Amino acid sequence: MTEKTRRTPRQPRSEATVEAILEAAFQLLEQGGVEALTTNHIAERAGVSVGTLYQYFGGKQAILAALAHRRAEAARDRIAEIVIAGPEIGTVRLIVRTLATAFEGSPATRRALLDALTAEGGDDVVMRNHLTFFDMIAGKAALGFDLSPEAGFVLTHAVVGLLRAATIESDLALDPQALEDELVRLMEAYISALLVARSA
């Protein structure tokens, strides 16, 4: 079955099947790593046939990419909600934490999901999420500073880039809480500078 003929889940039952497949993949990834992950194991854990799995996904990499996309989109949507609800500087920690926990699981799981995202056009995904995020908050968030394209780029990419680097460079064994503190310090300082620039 080609990628063009893969089924898109539209009914609740189909959506539940896709969710079961994605959850099974995540559980197996946590247990045995990406090397031990197979479509047969995923189908068995999800309680579906391999044929059913292939109706929705082209293989293991497509499942990992879909799982990564879901997590990235959920984090984007949650951050948009936070910013619209009240973009005070005190919400920076919540935003950083949302990004840091978007790809939960072991370091190996996070790395596998990031690798899958990159293999499926990761740069395009980041750009789409960046543009979608600003569309979502346009006219709804009172930021208190001028959001130029450059400032928006820094705000959406700085923490993501550093968290990605921390995942890739896992041998550094960075303390998650200490890293969160440093990322919050970085972003609060940058936002403060934007606020000062507007009032000058």
Side-chain angles (χ1 to χ4, degrees):
M1 185 176 286
T2 65
E3 286 299 325
K4 290 182 180 178
T5 58
R6 302 255 175 242
R7 289 175 59 187
T8 300
R10 300 195 196 291
Q11 302 298 323
R13 185 174 173 185
S14 297
E15 291 174 0
T17 299
V18 168
E19 288 300 326
I21 292 168
L22 295 177
E23 181 58 30
F26 180 78
Q27 291 173 5
L28 291 168
L29 194 59
E30 281 285 270
Q31 289 174 2
V34 70
E35 297 79 13
L37 194 67
T38 68
T39 52
N40 285 333
H41 290 147
I42 295 168
E44 182 180 354
R45 173 65 67 92
V48 301
S49 69
V50 175
T52 296
L53 181 150
Y54 278 109
Q55 287 179 353
Y56 298 101
F57 298 103
K60 177 174 77 172
Q61 284 307 119
I63 293 169
L64 290 174
L67 188 55
H69 282 290
R70 291 270 181 106
R71 302 290 166 93
E73 289 168 3
R76 178 202 67 206
D77 294 351
R78 175 67 183 125
I79 291 168
E81 290 172 4
I82 293 167
V83 171
I84 291 168
E88 296 84 11
I89 199 163
T91 62
V92 170
R93 183 172 296 278
L94 184 54
I95 292 169
V96 169
R97 189 166 295 160
T98 299
L99 286 168
T101 58
F103 294 95
E104 75 265 25
S106 68
T109 295
R110 293 196 302 271
R111 178 67 185 268
L113 292 176
L114 285 172
D115 287 349
L117 201 60
T118 302
E120 292 287 321
D123 291 338
D124 289 341
V125 171
V126 171
M127 184 179 73
R128 281 197 308 271
N129 277 330
H130 170 84
L131 295 173
T132 300
F133 172 76
F134 285 108
D135 285 344
M136 291 171 75
I137 68 169
K140 299 176 185 173
L143 298 174
F145 53 82
D146 296 324
L147 189 63
S148 67
E150 294 76 17
F153 177 84
V154 171
L155 285 167
T156 58
H157 285 67
V159 173
V160 171
L162 290 168
L163 287 170
R164 183 183 295 181
T167 299
I168 292 169
E169 299 175 43
S170 57
D171 289 346
L172 294 175
L174 299 174
D175 176 77
Q177 185 58 56
L179 179 60
E180 177 183 299
D181 292 343
E182 294 305 317
L183 292 172
V184 170
R185 191 192 322 272
L186 174 71
M187 297 312 293
E188 285 183 345
Y190 183 68
I191 291 169
S192 295
L194 291 174
L195 292 168
V196 169
R198 182 176 186 182
S199 62

